[in-house]
Amino acid sequence: MNVVILGSGKGTNALAVIKASQQDQLANANIVGIFTDNPDAEILKIASQNDIVNDFLSPGFKKSIIEKNEENNWIQKISDLNPDLIVLAGFMRILSSNFINHFQNRIINLHPSLLPSFQGLNAIEQAFNKNVKITGCTVHWVNERVDDGEIIAQAPVRIMNDDELPLVRQKVQAAEHILLPWVIRDLALGTTPFPQ
Ligand code: GAR
């Protein structure tokens, strides 16, 4: 199962997936490429250090989407790697319906809250500021609405009364680093089915 990862930042989740793969924990899932919309993203270095094809692809000038005139390049570069699964791991752009239709039922997203609570940006802060006692992370199928597709798996994280925001962030990320490789493994094994 060919896996392409899209990310915009630090790439700690990509690294967790790479490590799981190197430890033979992902069944037949292979990470075949990592792309980013951010030329300075740490995720590029992580990919290079682990001999994974990687590239910065220009998203254009708009902030939260891939511009139409750049989108074909993204679709082409990703398609060239014959992906069975595309993993959004900290990818901070909203995908168009054209993009999603191209890879229909093959895109999953990692989100740092227990969806449907706290959709959108700064989900960890949103949960923290609401004083919830349990938050967590979610992996879900991507549809045309942001953070809305069918939930595949979730992991809970407790927020203790004296937890500060950086600690909550660390806890959620630690949970993500376990959850995401598991989901990829289950998809590779077929224990989690792809939508028809
Ligand atoms: C992760 O916490 C992920 O859940 C979040 O970005 C972080 C990326 O970290 N994604 C979103 O907020 C998407 N809405 P990483 O680059 O270290 O993997």
Side-chain angles (χ1 to χ4, degrees), residues 9-13 90 92 110-112 173 176:
K10 286 200 304 228
T12 64
N13 283 285
M92 304 311 276
L110 172 66
H111 185 77
Q173 286 229 314
E176 290 182 329

Side-chain angles (χ1 to χ4, degrees), residues 49-63:
Q49 283 161 0
N50 288 280
D51 296 320
I52 294 170
V53 169
N54 64 88
D55 212 347
F56 157 71
L57 303 178
S58 169
F61 293 103
K62 291 205 177 127
K63 229 181 157 193

Side-chain angles (χ1 to χ4, degrees), residues 4-40:
V4 168
I5 299 176
L6 306 185
S8 303
K10 286 200 304 228
T12 64
N13 283 285
L15 183 60
V17 173
I18 292 167
K19 280 189 176 158
S21 166
Q22 289 167 346
Q23 291 163 11
D24 286 330
Q25 291 169 0
L26 294 188
N28 72 345
N30 283 320
I31 303 136
V32 294
I34 296 184
F35 295 113
T36 183
D37 58 334
N38 171 7
D40 302 320

Side-chain angles (χ1 to χ4, degrees), residues 7-15 43 88-92 109-113 120-124 137-138 146-147 172-173 176-177:
S8 303
K10 286 200 304 228
T12 64
N13 283 285
L15 183 60
I43 199 171
L88 309 183
F91 189 63
M92 304 311 276
N109 179 46
L110 172 66
H111 185 77
S113 76
L121 291 175
N122 304 319
I124 299 173
C137 53
T138 301
V146 175
D147 301 331
V172 171
Q173 286 229 314
E176 290 182 329
H177 298 163

